[in-house]
Amino acid sequence: MFKIVFFLLLSVTAVGQSYTGTKTPYPFKQGEYTPLPKGYTAAYVNYTGRHGARFMTKAGSDVKLLALFNKSQLTPLGDSVKVMTEAFLQIEKDNYENISLLGDAEQHAIGERLRKREATAFKGRGVTIEVTHKKRTRQSADGFLKAFADYKGKQEFMMVQDTNENVLRFYDLSPAYEAYKDGKVIAARVDSLQQDPRSKEIASRISKRLFTETLAEKDQAAVAAWLYDLYSIQFSLVIEMQQAKAYFDFGKAFTKEDLQWLDKINSAADFLEKGAGLDPLGIQSRIAAPLLLDLVTTTDALTRGRLQKDAVLRFSHAEAISPLATLMGIPEASVPSASIYDFDKHWKAANIIPLSANIQWIIYGNGKKYLVKVLLNEREVALPVKTTNYPYYKWEDVKSYYLTKLKKIGVKPGDDMHKFLLNIK
C-alpha cells in the first residue's frame, strides 16, 4: 500500500502543477538544507500547517453540474464528463469536509520528515497539538502524528471554541476584514478578470464541447466554474479513485490555456483576500497578528524554559497560513500588485498555500544561545532580519523584529486578541 501511495504522491505532484491553485496537492521536492553552525542542534519546533488534501467542503458544483447534465442534450464528450461527474459524486458521498487518503499521506510524510530531520528536538518532553473546530484539521493532526507512534512524550490536544479561535481562525472574527473581503476593492478587480473577453470565450468554448445546445452566457460561466472545481479536487482523490476503480479526468474538457486562465481568476481572489494584495500590511495580513504573536511568545517560552515541550503543532487553514507568511515578510508571499493582471508574476498559490502547506519555526540551541530557521513548505526562506548565518537567525533578533512590527499595528504580549480582532480597522 505504501508503494502505491508513494507512486501516487509523485504522480499527483507532477500533475498537480496543472493550474489548481490552493487545491494543489502538497508539492514536496527533496532539497538540501544549509548545515547548522558548529555546536548547535535542534531544540524545539513551532509548527503551523494547513489541513491535508481534501474532499469538497460541501455539495455544490458537483450536484449543480450533474443536474444540468441530466436535463441537457450532450455531446459525446459531455456524456463522458457526465459519467465522470456521477463517479465523482459517489466518491464524495458522506465525505464532504473530510481530508482524503492522500491528505492523510501528505500529513504523515511531513511529520516523518520533520521528526527525522530535527530528531534532537524530540526528547520526550511532550507536544501540544492545536486544531480548529473543523474536523479536517483534527484529521490532519492525526495523520501527522502517525509519525509519532513510538514517541514517549505526552500528546496534548487543544481545540478552542468556535467563537474564540483568535489564533487559528482569526479571519472569521474580524468585522472589518469581512467587510474588506466582501467589498468593492476585491470585487472590482476579480470582476475585471471575470468580465475579460478571455473569460467569456473560454466559457463558451467549454460549453460547446459539452452541450449540443447553446447555453446562456451566465450558464456558460457557471459550467466553467463548476467544472474547474471538480477538476481541481480530483487530484486529491487519486487513492479513493483507485480503490473504487473509478477513473476520471475532468481535464479532458479543458485546454491548457483554459486552465491557466481559470487558475488565474481563482488565485486572484486568494491573493487579494489572504495574500499581499495591494498592501502587504493591509488588513488581510494584519489580522494574522494573533497567530504571529502566539508564535513569538511560545518560542520565547520554550527557549526560557517556561514551556516544557518539544513542539507546538498547529493545524489550521489556508486563510491562516498565507496571511502569516505575508505578515512575517517571507519574500515570495509579500510582494503586492497594483494590477490584478500581474499579481502572479511573484505570488503563486500552489507554492505558498497548497494543500498541507506549512510554516515551520525550528529553534536550535548550543546550551547558551538560540538560532531560528524558518521553512515554508519545507523550503528554507529569508526573513527581513539581519543575519550573518543565513538561513539561521539569532532568536533575540527575530523576537525583537516581530515584536516591534506587532507594536506598530497595535499588538503586544498580553493583549486581548479577541478584542483586537473585533476592533481592527
Side-chain angles (χ1 to χ4, degrees), residues 175-222:
Y177 174 66
E178 288 296 322
Y180 163 78
K181 191 171 66 171
D182 297 334
K184 295 180 180 179
V185 171
I186 292 178
R189 286 165 174 79
V190 175
D191 282 351
S192 70
L193 294 178
Q194 292 173 335
Q195 298 304 317
D196 187 286
R198 280 171 285 187
S199 297
K200 297 179 181 180
E201 290 167 7
I202 287 169
S204 175
R205 289 199 301 266
I206 292 170
S207 178
K208 288 177 181 177
R209 292 179 202 133
L210 302 176
F211 299 91
T212 58
E213 58 198 287
T214 300
L215 301 183
E217 192 173 282
K218 185 176 180 180
D219 292 333
Q220 291 176 356

Side-chain angles (χ1 to χ4, degrees), residues 303-414:
T303 61
R304 294 179 182 276
R306 294 196 298 264
L307 182 60
Q308 296 293 326
K309 299 286 181 181
D310 291 337
V312 178
L313 309 172
R314 303 170 192 77
F315 296 86
S316 186
H317 306 267
E319 292 86 349
I321 303 300
S322 183
L324 174 63
T326 303
L327 190 58
M328 285 177 57
I330 294 174
E332 64 190 273
S334 305
V335 179
S337 178
S339 169
I340 199 60
Y341 284 85
D342 296 334
F343 79 94
D344 49 354
K345 290 180 179 179
H346 302 284
W347 195 88
K348 306 289 185 185
N351 293 341
I352 299 166
I353 40 172
L355 294 154
S356 289
N358 57 87
I359 295 175
Q360 302 181 21
W361 289 27
I362 314 298
I363 301 97
Y364 304 91
N366 67 355
K368 296 180 180 179
K369 298 178 181 179
Y370 290 98
L371 301 175
V372 175
K373 177 171 74 173
V374 172
L375 304 178
L376 172 62
N377 300 325
E378 299 176 84
R379 306 187 308 270
E380 295 174 343
V381 292
L383 301 179
V385 180
K386 290 182 179 180
T387 182
T388 57
N389 267 321
Y390 174 83
Y392 301 97
Y393 298 82
K394 293 178 181 178
W395 165 240
E396 291 300 323
D397 292 345
V398 172
K399 180 177 74 169
S400 176
Y401 176 83
Y402 285 130
L403 286 179
T404 299
K405 187 170 190 177
L406 287 165
K407 185 177 180 180
K408 289 178 180 177
I409 58 177
V411 172
K412 64 181 184 301

